[in-house]
């Protein structure tokens, strides 16, 4: 599978809790402006495709596309469609591909959503966050619950799937406030809901308010109680958890996000976006002996293959500031800030961390193969494995279950203590 993520770094205003790579200016220099952004991303697509060809990567047609931000819908709908059309020309798009954009409810209307539907989008993820006015105010959100309902209704009429995102644990949010938000989201009739615990970063406006004592700090017990409330109410409404923070009716899971958790290949486009490849052929060539970015950022677009030396996994990330990102593109360079090789041991760690977040579970047989791929056998003649018997203490603690086909699935208690479950599994594996 191959996925494409496009980061749109523009917002009308910056929410107090947000530490994403976003900007409120309309023009950030070097061509990275709202009006020209689609053109810049399309140029990055072409550079990325050439880099893939130069490094032995032949991806299948794109299975999912996701526009995130920032606020993708701050751009004209025709710009989002133009970027989607470019993906279709450059990589191809699978017939049943999932095409999603995030949307701020303030920035879309029926006409906008109809244009997305006509352009090939299949799904809209609305940033609802809460249905309670004082919580929305604390989060610095400007939309109203009515905006969310209008957006969902418009998407339904256009034949698009809808999802809504919620945040729990905001300062001043009571348990009853949270129940109101969850039930309101369910009553919208959407088939997918994400619910994320508020994470407070010290450099954000909210982080500074909490440090100054003008807002109370989120409480772990309160957030755990809210998670259980959401899980119960979603289950009662027919929404099943398929990832720690995501619930859906069967068949409506976010295929794009499942791709991340299953560790597929994806290309991230736009300032600060990350990319991931499971197998990259590194060339022994003067222009491309290193896959890391040269000083100043960006990789040559014309790096030739030369003599093949090694194949490995790779993770890269684009230059974060839009002006510097645009400068690299204008100089015909893939706009990476840097990249790193994914070692077999790191791949094993990621398989564990990602698999233990999913309802489909962690494939124990796959993990045992990865253990030995990482060269972690106790002796060259002995294959090291993790057995179901070794997991008995975690099973007895009510943290996991193990299916007959050797899939390790976190229980609800295990989801609430996910970091602890992962750490214990690391201990069994020895990473």
């Amino acid at each position: 599978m191959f996925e494409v993520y496009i980061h749109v770094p523009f917002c009308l205003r910056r929410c107090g809790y947000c530490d994403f790579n976003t900007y409120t200016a309309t023009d950030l220099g070097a061509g990275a402006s709202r009006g020209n952004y689609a053109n810049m991303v399309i140029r990055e697509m072409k550079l990325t495709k050439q880099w893939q060809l130069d490094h032995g990567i032949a991806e299948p047609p794109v299975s999912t596309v996701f526009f995130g931000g920032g606020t993708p819908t701050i751009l004209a709908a025709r710009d989002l469609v133009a970027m989607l059309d470019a993906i279709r020309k450059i990589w191809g798009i699978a017939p049943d591909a999932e095409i999603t954009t995030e949307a701020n409810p303030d920035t879309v209307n029926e006409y906008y959503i109809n244009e997305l539907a006509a352009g090939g989008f299949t799904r809209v993820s609305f940033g609802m966050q809460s249905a309670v006015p004082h919580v929305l105010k604390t989060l610095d959100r400007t939309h109203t619950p009515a905006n969310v309902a209008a957006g969902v209704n418009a998407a339904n009429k256009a034949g698009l799937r809808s999802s809504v995102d919620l945040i729990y644990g905001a300062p001043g949010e009571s348990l009853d406030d949270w129940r109101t938000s969850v039930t309101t989201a369910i009553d919208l009739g959407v088939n997918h809901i994400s619910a994320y615990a508020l994470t407070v970063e010290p450099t954000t406006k909210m982080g500074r308010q909490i440090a100054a004592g003008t807002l109370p700090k989120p409480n772990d017990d309160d957030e755990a109680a809210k998670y259980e409330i959401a899980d119960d109410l979603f289950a009662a409404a027919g929404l099943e958890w398929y990832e720690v923070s995501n619930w859906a009716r069967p068949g409506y899971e976010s295929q794009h996000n499942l791709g991340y958790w299953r560790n597929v290949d994806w290309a991230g486009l736009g300032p600060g976006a990350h990319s991931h490849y499971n197998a990259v052929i590194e060339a022994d060539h003067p222009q491309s002996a290193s896959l890391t970015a040269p000083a100043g950022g960006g990789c040559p677009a014309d790096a030739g293959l030369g003599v093949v030396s090694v194949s490995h996994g790779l993770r890269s990330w684009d230059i974060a500031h839009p002006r510097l990102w645009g400068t690299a593109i204008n100089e015909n360079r893939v706009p990476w800030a840097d990249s790193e090789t994914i070692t077999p041991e790191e791949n094993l760690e990621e398989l564990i961390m990602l698999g233990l977040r999913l309802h489909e579970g962690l494939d124990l047989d796959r993990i045992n193969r990865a253990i030995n791929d990482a060269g972690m056998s106790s002796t060259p003649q002995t294959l090291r494995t993790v057995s179901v018997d070794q997991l008995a203490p975690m099973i007895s603690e009510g943290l996991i279950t193990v299916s007959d086909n050797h899939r390790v699935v976190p229980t609800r208690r295990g989801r609430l203590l996910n970091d602890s479950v992962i750490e214990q599994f690391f201990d069994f594996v020895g990473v």
Side-chain angles (χ1 to χ4, degrees):
M1 287 181 63
F2 176 54
E3 303 185 332
V4 173
Y5 170 77
I6 297 176
H7 183 71
V8 178
F10 302 103
C11 281
L12 292 172
R13 61 178 289 179
R14 191 173 180 85
C15 299
Y17 62 90
C18 178
D19 73 332
F20 294 164
N21 188 37
T22 61
Y23 305 83
T24 56
T26 58
D27 191 336
L28 293 156
S33 65
R34 292 185 195 173
N36 192 52
Y37 191 71
N39 294 328
M40 296 299 288
V41 170
I42 291 168
R43 290 173 65 187
E44 183 181 2
M45 290 180 197
K46 295 174 182 177
L47 292 168
T48 299
K49 174 67 173 181
Q50 187 60 53
W51 179 89
Q52 291 174 345
L53 294 173
D54 289 342
H55 290 87
I57 300 171
E59 298 289 6
V62 174
S63 57
T64 73
V65 180
F66 195 101
F67 290 79
T71 307
T73 50
I74 205 172
L75 302 181
R78 65 178 176 275
D79 288 343
L80 300 186
V81 172
M83 288 185 273
L84 180 60
D85 286 343
I87 291 171
R88 187 175 290 108
K89 292 175 184 175
I90 292 168
W91 285 290
I93 295 178
D96 58 348
E98 176 191 89
I99 314 295
T100 304
T101 185
E102 291 180 339
N104 184 322
D106 280 349
T107 59
V108 296
N109 56 30
E110 185 173 352
Y111 302 103
Y112 191 106
I113 287 175
N114 285 343
E115 193 169 346
L116 293 181
F121 281 76
T122 66
R123 190 171 176 273
V124 182
S125 179
F126 292 97
M128 176 177 173
Q129 319 311 358
S130 174
V132 179
H134 79 85
V135 176
L136 289 171
K137 183 176 180 181
T138 299
L139 295 172
D140 281 335
R141 301 293 291 183
T142 58
H143 70 268
T144 66
N147 295 141
V148 180
V152 170
N153 288 338
N156 289 342
K157 289 169 75 173
L160 300 181
R161 293 184 175 188
S162 293
S163 173
V164 295
D165 290 352
L166 298 173
I167 291 177
Y168 58 91
E173 179 189 59
S174 68
L175 294 179
D176 283 341
D177 289 336
W178 176 238
R179 285 191 189 91
T180 296
S181 293
V182 172
T183 55
T184 301
I186 291 169
D187 290 345
L188 289 170
V190 296
N191 294 309
H192 186 284
I193 301 177
S194 301
Y196 302 104
L198 177 67
T199 300
V200 179
E201 299 295 340
T203 56
T204 61
K205 174 186 172 183
M206 181 176 284
R208 293 190 293 270
Q209 290 173 317
I210 289 173
T214 57
L215 284 178
K217 183 179 180 180
N219 178 276
D220 289 345
D221 291 338
D222 173 74
E223 290 186 343
K226 288 172 179 173
Y227 184 92
E228 291 177 331
I229 287 170
D231 197 39
D232 287 341
L233 291 173
F234 292 149
L239 297 160
E240 301 175 1
W241 82 273
Y242 69 94
E243 190 274 339
V244 168
S245 299
N246 289 271
W247 290 258
R249 300 188 196 283
Y252 288 87
E253 299 84 357
S254 168
Q255 296 305 308
H256 185 84
N257 287 338
L258 276 173
Y260 289 154
W261 296 314
R262 290 169 176 165
N263 233 17
V264 304
D265 284 12
W266 71 83
L269 308 168
H274 286 229
S275 299
H276 174 270
Y277 297 97
N278 281 296
V280 174
I281 298 173
E282 185 172 342
D284 184 14
H285 185 284
Q287 284 188 301
S288 60
S290 172
L291 292 179
T292 57
C299 293
D302 59 350
L305 256 178
V307 179
V308 173
S309 59
V310 66
S311 178
H312 54 70
L314 180 78
R315 182 185 298 104
S316 66
W317 47 98
D318 274 21
I319 298 165
H321 195 282
R323 178 175 56 80
L324 299 178
W325 168 84
T327 297
I329 292 172
N330 291 333
E331 294 174 354
N332 202 39
R333 294 183 284 125
V334 179
W336 290 356
D338 211 339
S339 66
E340 62 186 10
T341 297
I342 302 171
T343 67
E345 185 169 330
E346 288 169 337
N347 180 63
L348 173 61
E349 291 175 356
E350 290 181 6
L351 289 175
I352 292 169
M353 288 189 293
L354 297 169
L356 287 173
R357 294 186 64 85
L358 292 171
H359 186 270
E360 68 186 37
L362 179 67
D363 185 341
L364 205 55
D365 296 332
R366 183 182 183 189
I367 289 301
N368 285 330
R369 290 193 297 272
I371 288 171
N372 292 289
D373 288 343
M376 298 175 67
S377 299
S378 54
T379 70
Q381 293 78 32
T382 305
L383 293 180
R384 180 173 181 170
T385 60
V386 176
S387 69
V388 176
D389 288 343
Q390 285 175 281
L391 301 177
M394 295 174 70
I395 297 171
S396 64
E397 290 176 45
L399 295 172
I400 61 170
T401 62
V402 181
S403 67
D404 291 340
N405 62 346
H406 292 178
R407 285 193 172 269
V408 182
V409 181
T411 62
R412 182 155 81 178
R413 183 164 184 265
R415 284 180 271 155
L416 288 167
L417 299 172
N418 196 248
D419 288 346
S420 175
V421 171
I422 291 169
E423 287 173 9
Q424 289 187 55
F425 210 95
F426 279 173
D427 289 340
F428 288 126
V429 173
V431 295

